[in-house]
Amino acid sequence: MRIFIDGDACPVKDEVFKVAGRYGLPVTVVGNSWLRLPNDPLLTMVVVAEGADAADDRIVEMIEAADICVTNDIPLGGRCLAKGALAIRPNGKPFTEASIGDALATRELMNALRETGAITGGPAPFAKQDRSRFLSALDTMVHQAKRLAR
């Protein structure tokens, strides 16, 4: 069982490292550029070539059933679920089979509204409550993944 982080814009890397350390789980951070990680043998950095979905494609290539992916990318979350893995957003909301279709549809609708100028803002800023919710949700997801891995 491993945790993968879609690393280029992930605001909760330190929280993932903390939870993973508590359970002795390896973490792989995947991104388009090198990121400095704490000196820990459980942490690995994978740098991929520039490209819109290069990091996503590499995560999907490596992830297996009962692994966990931390990402805000809805299509990546869906691809991980399709491989039997679990996926969670940095705000603590898990991607599920039941919610992924609605999330993809909402994403498409919001993109269309942004393109027409009907919506000009982005998502709400990351809040302290999001960080706390993430820590709790990731801990719960680790227990869920351990049950799946058995």
Side-chain angles (χ1 to χ4, degrees):
M1 191 177 116
R2 299 171 295 172
I3 299 176
F4 292 89
I5 301 175
D6 184 5
D8 288 326
C10 181
V12 291
K13 287 187 271 307
D14 289 338
E15 287 76 6
V16 174
F17 302 155
K18 179 179 178 181
V19 172
R22 186 177 324 133
Y23 295 104
L25 298 174
V27 176
T28 302
V29 180
V30 182
N32 297 107
S33 59
W34 186 83
L35 301 170
R36 182 183 218 64
L37 301 180
N39 187 16
D40 184 327
L42 290 174
L43 306 180
T44 304
M45 179 73 213
V46 174
V47 179
V48 297
E50 292 293 323
D53 294 325
D56 298 358
D57 292 344
R58 185 71 175 121
I59 290 171
V60 172
E61 181 182 302
M62 293 187 298
I63 204 162
E64 297 175 358
D67 287 343
I68 297 170
C69 180
V70 178
T71 184
N72 218 15
D73 186 283
I74 297 166
L76 174 57
R79 292 171 70 190
C80 291
L81 291 177
K83 289 195 71 176
L86 303 170
I88 187 170
R89 292 176 186 232
N91 65 7
K93 294 181 183 174
F95 290 102
T96 65
E97 293 292 339
S99 69
I100 198 69
D102 285 344
L104 286 166
T106 300
R107 176 181 179 265
E108 292 305 315
L109 174 63
M110 297 305 284
N111 283 342
L113 290 172
R114 277 195 274 295
E115 286 175 5
T116 63
I119 293 180
T120 55
F126 196 74
K128 209 177 233 186
Q129 296 88 344
D130 294 324
R131 197 171 301 282
S132 177
R133 184 175 35 245
F134 175 80
L135 275 167
S136 176
L138 181 60
D139 197 75
T140 299
M141 188 169 276
V142 166
H143 288 287
Q144 180 184 358
K146 284 185 174 206
R147 284 191 303 274
L148 289 172
R150 289 184 192 149

